[in-house]
Amino acid sequence: MAITVFIADDQAMVRQGFGALLASQPDISVIGDAPDGAVAVSEVKRLRPDVVLMDVRMPEMNGLDAARVILSAGFDPPVRVLMLTTFDVDDYVYEALSIGASGFMLKDAPAEELIRAVRVVADGEALLAPTVTRRLIADVTSRRSTARRKPAALSALTPREREVLELIARGMSNTEIAERLFVAEQTVKTHVGKVLSKLDLRDRAQAVVLAYESGLVTPG
């Protein structure tokens, strides 16, 4: 089955360019687009794509508000949202991850990174591997250090689960974590599921935010 993608951006050239690039891939199908957040919410509810590429700054309803509506709708299977930004550091990044966005991409990233991003997010993983993404997360979370919290639930994690959480926050995929810990990938998936459940988190992106906020992982 092809990964279905919806693109929300107020620039027609961006929608057309990203759409043509992604549609050229045999495993990706672009099923719609929208010029603003309000239309995006309406169309996503109708089309139920696997992944939404959502520009942060749009008229009518900005991408963050649109993402919040989509991610709180409780779609099954879930609709993943990948935020798009023009700037190296965007004040919306932290909040986007906090509400459950699966990651973010710079609009000027190489084509192969965008294609990979869609595949990674569709597979249920947060887009955290690219160096620029790790830098953005570290920058945004460190600037919000006053908001750090240490949830009591962290103490409920086993030593291996804490280790897995740390590696997730470092931007590692399940495959990379399995290689680092010398365990099967399915074992890692089990640990990730337990971490999310014990910490009452929606997905890996929220796990990364919490890991930085709590001080379990520090920027750098």
Side-chain angles (χ1 to χ4, degrees):
M1 296 290 290
I3 299 168
T4 54
V5 176
F6 187 92
I7 303 171
D9 195 289
D10 61 345
Q11 297 181 40
M13 289 184 65
V14 171
R15 297 197 304 274
Q16 294 167 7
F18 284 3
L21 171 66
L22 294 172
S24 69
Q25 302 302 304
D27 61 333
I28 298 175
S29 175
V30 179
I31 60 174
D33 61 50
D36 62 64
V39 173
V41 168
S42 176
E43 286 295 278
V44 167
K45 287 181 177 180
R46 181 177 69 88
L47 297 171
R48 305 289 182 87
D50 297 315
V51 178
V52 178
L53 297 183
M54 183 77 74
D55 186 19
V56 170
R57 293 183 171 89
M58 290 187 293
E60 301 301 327
M61 177 187 286
N62 67 46
L64 187 61
D65 289 339
R68 181 179 291 107
V69 173
I70 291 169
L71 292 167
S72 64
F75 294 123
D76 186 19
V79 174
R80 314 285 184 182
V81 177
L82 179 62
M83 305 301 296
L84 299 172
T85 179
T86 305
F87 307 101
D88 273 1
V89 175
D90 195 305
D91 288 339
Y92 291 131
V93 168
Y94 175 89
E95 191 169 354
L97 291 174
S98 296
I99 64 174
S102 293
F104 47 94
M105 284 285 295
L106 297 180
K107 286 186 179 181
D108 60 357
E112 59 271 17
E113 281 193 17
L114 177 63
I115 295 168
R116 174 185 172 278
V118 168
R119 290 172 177 151
V120 167
V121 169
D123 196 39
E125 296 192 34
L127 184 71
L128 305 169
T131 302
V132 64
T133 306
R134 289 197 294 268
R135 178 169 56 81
L136 287 173
I137 291 174
D139 182 84
V140 174
T141 52
S142 64
R143 287 190 291 113
R144 294 173 180 259
S145 59
T146 56
R148 285 185 176 175
R149 51 196 169 98
K150 291 189 176 181
L154 276 181
S155 62
L157 299 181
T158 66
R160 178 47 61 94
E161 289 166 355
R162 287 173 67 95
E163 187 175 15
V164 168
L165 176 57
E166 290 178 23
L167 295 177
I168 290 173
R170 296 296 183 193
M172 291 189 178
S173 66
N174 286 348
T175 301
E176 291 169 332
I177 294 174
E179 292 174 351
R180 170 70 70 87
L181 300 180
F182 302 101
V183 298
E185 188 170 345
Q186 185 57 49
T187 300
V188 174
K189 290 182 179 180
T190 299
H191 287 316
V192 172
K194 289 182 178 179
V195 168
L196 298 182
S197 177
K198 288 182 178 181
L199 298 180
D200 193 24
L201 301 173
R202 187 201 314 262
D203 54 27
R204 296 167 71 103
Q206 289 189 330
V208 171
V209 172
L210 185 143
Y212 277 102
E213 282 187 334
S214 67
L216 180 65
V217 177
T218 56

